[in-house]
Amino acid sequence: MDTTLLGIINTVLDNRSKPTISELKDSDHFRDDIGFDSLDLAELTVRIEAEFDVDVFENGLVNTVEEIKERLMQKA
Amino acid sequence: MNVIVTGVSKGLGLEVARTLLNQGYNVYGISRSKTDALEQLLNEFPQSIHWVSFDLSDAESIRDIVFKQFIGLKTPIHGLVNNAAIAYDDIATNADLNALEAMYKVNVYSPIILSKYAIRQMLLHNIAGSLVHLSSISVHTGYKGLSMYASTKGALEAYSKNISREWGSKGIRSNCVVAGFMETEMSSALTDEQKAKIYRRTSLKKEVSIQSVADTIDFLLSDKSESITGQNIFIDNGTI
């Protein structure tokens, strides 16, 4: 799951011409650490949904990598 | 190029679908019923028109029925035409909450939820797509008995203006087509006298051409309008 998530996050960063990242920590905050804005988060949601069939924003905002993983585990 | 068109069974929606099919688009059409005219279109373009029977008063099912089952979440979407609408016409002092809610579901809530998922699919496929929403001259001119209907279209215009700002950096455009009175079922409740009065208020003194509105929608979906977003395009015979 980590590798897939890292790939998705880097696709979103790359689409906005932002620098990509080489590793992902559970504590990483999307806005503060990864550099996402609200449009990037929207694209992230869509790409995760296409991959895992889960809308991670369905039940409110998520801020960290750990929170996304928790939502994915819940639906698994 | 895949375009979603709502209200394809008759009137303007049917003409929009036909115009787009003639240009080589794939059309994903949505309507409650299948009319003879729609059946004819389905037979004429069996490869490029897809149709689902769906009631747009059920906005909660849009994701599952329209996007997951009918279109498929992995199908790239290049355009959305929010055309379907219902008219609840009465004077303000007779406003009925149930009728008002039913109209808002079809005219406002569903277009917003359809736009939500269309934009999502544009993001997934990196598509600079185009959203076109059908508005009405009643928003700008005002007619007796149309206050509540016009309020739904005014809501759609405000929504379109704001999403054009929100998603412009992704190349996604959103525009409204402000149509004057056409000879469709939507205006069939009007008497000839009422219609004549409405047409006298236009520069061209007649009903608006359905084809002219359909061609403008075609233009707004195409790259020819690549620098147009957040606009209301009036196709109203010059209403005064």
Side-chain angles (χ1 to χ4, degrees):
Chain A
M1 186 196 285
D2 280 29
T3 318
T4 312
L5 264 183
L6 180 65
I8 291 173
I9 288 166
N10 277 333
T11 300
V12 176
L13 287 168
D14 199 39
N15 279 342
R16 295 291 289 279
S17 305
K18 293 177 181 178
T20 54
I21 54 175
S22 53
E23 61 167 346
L24 203 57
K25 294 193 289 289
D26 282 0
S27 60
D28 277 349
H29 192 284
F30 282 106
R31 287 177 188 268
D32 302 337
D33 299 317
I34 299 177
F36 272 17
D37 62 16
S38 57
L39 300 193
D40 297 325
L41 283 168
E43 186 178 338
L44 176 76
T45 311
V46 168
R47 293 190 181 282
I48 288 177
E49 186 181 31
E51 189 68 39
F52 299 100
D53 196 26
V54 175
D55 183 344
V56 288
F57 274 78
E58 204 169 35
N59 299 312
L61 285 177
V62 287
N63 298 306
T64 64
V65 170
E66 189 173 21
E67 284 169 26
I68 294 237
K69 284 162 103 175
E70 277 170 10
R71 301 247 169 127
L72 291 177
M73 300 292 249
Q74 279 168 13
K75 298 269 180 155
Chain B
M1 300 274 270
N2 301 318
V3 178
I4 305 167
V5 182
T6 65
V8 285
S9 65
K10 55 199 170 191
L12 177 63
L14 188 70
E15 277 317 304
V16 170
R18 180 177 291 284
T19 302
L20 297 178
L21 289 163
N22 280 328
Q23 305 281 329
Y25 284 90
N26 285 314
V27 171
Y28 287 86
I30 300 168
S31 62
R32 272 177 301 184
S33 57
K34 190 195 277 185
T35 57
D36 290 345
L38 176 59
E39 183 80 57
Q40 201 182 323
L41 204 61
L42 290 165
N43 290 332
E44 211 175 316
F45 297 92
Q47 305 296 324
S48 47
I49 181 166
H50 314 271
W51 175 77
V52 69
S53 169
F54 182 75
D55 184 346
L56 288 166
S57 59
D58 182 15
E60 279 187 9
S61 301
I62 285 177
R63 179 176 184 268
D64 274 351
I65 295 179
V66 176
F67 284 88
K68 282 189 90 170
Q69 294 172 29
F70 172 53
I71 299 172
L73 290 176
K74 298 201 171 165
T75 303
I77 294 296
H78 303 84
L80 165 67
V81 182
N82 274 320
N83 163 68
I86 57 173
Y88 160 51
D89 301 340
D90 209 337
I91 58 172
T93 45
N94 289 339
D96 175 84
L97 195 53
N98 288 333
L100 202 53
E101 273 181 359
M103 180 167 64
Y104 263 81
K105 280 180 182 171
V106 176
N107 295 13
V108 182
Y109 298 166
S110 273
I112 288 175
I113 301 301
L114 284 162
S115 301
K116 167 184 174 174
Y117 289 108
I119 293 171
R120 281 176 169 224
Q121 283 189 220
M122 289 170 188
L123 292 177
L124 183 61
H125 297 277
N126 295 326
I127 291 168
S130 171
L131 312 176
V132 182
H133 318 273
L134 260 295
S135 184
S136 159
I137 191 61
S138 58
V139 175
H140 302 272
T141 309
Y143 297 87
K144 178 185 166 192
L146 294 192
S147 60
M148 292 179 281
Y149 171 76
S151 75
T152 66
K153 295 302 188 180
L156 210 48
E157 287 190 11
Y159 176 72
S160 172
K161 174 74 83 181
N162 282 270
I163 55 172
S164 73
R165 290 270 184 208
E166 199 170 280
W167 293 99
S169 65
K170 285 283 187 182
I172 296 171
R173 300 182 293 115
S174 178
N175 292 287
C176 281
V177 159
V178 185
F181 283 82
M182 295 170 274
E183 285 286 354
T184 62
E185 200 176 293
M186 190 71 90
S187 57
S188 62
L190 297 170
T191 64
D192 286 347
E193 197 185 335
Q194 283 172 318
K195 284 182 187 172
K197 199 171 160 189
I198 287 166
Y199 299 151
R200 275 202 299 277
R201 283 174 69 178
T202 69
S203 302
L204 297 176
K205 309 291 179 201
K206 59 181 183 182
E207 76 278 10
V208 166
S209 148
I210 297 173
Q211 191 59 55
S212 181
V213 180
D215 286 340
T216 307
I217 292 168
D218 174 26
F219 167 72
L220 287 172
L221 289 169
S222 75
D223 287 343
K224 288 180 185 169
S225 61
E226 65 178 338
S227 297
I228 301 175
T229 192
Q231 298 304 308
N232 298 325
I233 310 295
F234 286 70
I235 308 151
D236 64 345
N237 280 344
T239 301
I240 30 186

